[in-house]
Amino acid sequence: APSNAVTSLTRLPNIWMKILYGCGQIPYTIKTILFGVFTLYFYTTVLGLPGSLVGIASGIGLVWDAVIDPVIGAFSDTTQSRFGKRHGFMLAGAAGMGVSFWAYFSPPAGLSLPSLFTWLLITSLLVRTTTSLFAIPYYALGAELSSDYHERTSITGVRSIFALLGTLATATLSFVLFFPETAPGVDPKLNV
């Protein structure tokens, strides 16, 4: 039987249910684009960490994802609460994703290379874990919103539209928001 949270969502008019569900894709997309576009540049060019160390940290993070994702999925599938089996995980993941993502791109000034690598590795694992806490139950919830194949396809389509909007907004606005030109002739992308 669907949880109370899923039941209340499915009572909404069809398009509103899809839009509310699709909105969850935006923060996930923003995190994914910024994480992918700026990690290597920021840690190598701006902070001076060797690319090989950034690659090692990224590789360890991918292995961590492969381990933690099925665990989160299993817990999400079997958890019972008054908010439904997915929403508690999604809330914890969303809150943690913001804090860990901020920490990821805000290492303390003056760290040595080993300390900077450690900071990158630990915050990367935190970002990946909290992202998985949100994303895995979020995608599972989409499949639970309807038992009809065509409706599920439509729900996924709306989510994909929000992913595209999040991608376009992130790709264009990130340079305007994060790298405003403050002084003529000074590259703002090199300012920590």
Side-chain angles (χ1 to χ4, degrees):
S3 68
N4 293 340
V6 171
T7 303
S8 64
L9 248 184
T10 56
R11 287 188 188 141
L12 291 170
N14 200 17
I15 189 64
W16 289 110
M17 175 200 55
K18 293 174 188 176
I19 288 171
L20 285 174
Y21 173 72
C23 285
Q25 185 66 37
I26 292 174
Y28 176 77
T29 300
I30 290 170
K31 190 274 331 167
T32 302
I33 297 297
L34 292 178
F35 199 73
V37 170
F38 292 117
T39 293
L40 185 63
Y41 178 81
F42 179 69
Y43 275 93
T44 59
T45 304
V46 178
L47 298 179
L49 191 64
S52 58
L53 292 179
V54 176
I56 289 169
S58 297
I60 292 170
L62 289 173
V63 171
W64 175 250
D65 259 347
V67 170
I68 196 70
D69 287 0
V71 173
I72 291 170
F75 278 127
S76 174
D77 286 343
T78 58
T79 297
Q80 296 299 322
S81 82
R82 66 183 192 142
F83 300 112
K85 57 186 175 180
R86 311 287 180 205
H87 290 81
F89 288 95
M90 291 168 56
L91 180 61
M97 195 167 50
V99 172
S100 62
F101 194 67
W102 172 83
Y104 182 77
F105 283 108
S106 302
L111 290 178
S112 65
L113 287 182
S115 297
L116 185 58
F117 172 75
T118 303
W119 181 271
L120 169 62
L121 179 61
I122 290 170
T123 57
S124 171
L125 295 177
L126 286 171
V127 169
R128 289 177 181 279
T129 302
T130 56
T131 299
S132 293
L133 275 172
F134 172 79
I136 292 169
Y138 172 72
Y139 288 131
L141 178 65
E144 295 170 346
L145 291 177
S146 176
S147 59
D148 180 70
Y149 172 80
H150 297 291
E151 271 303 298
R152 285 182 175 176
T153 303
S154 177
I155 291 166
T156 301
V158 171
R159 186 184 73 218
S160 297
I161 289 169
F162 279 92
L164 179 61
L165 292 172
T167 299
L168 293 173
T170 303
T172 56
L173 295 177
S174 61
F175 288 94
V176 173
L177 294 174
F178 300 127
F179 305 115
E181 188 173 328
T182 55
V186 176
D187 188 354
K189 293 185 295 301
L190 297 175
N191 183 350
V192 177

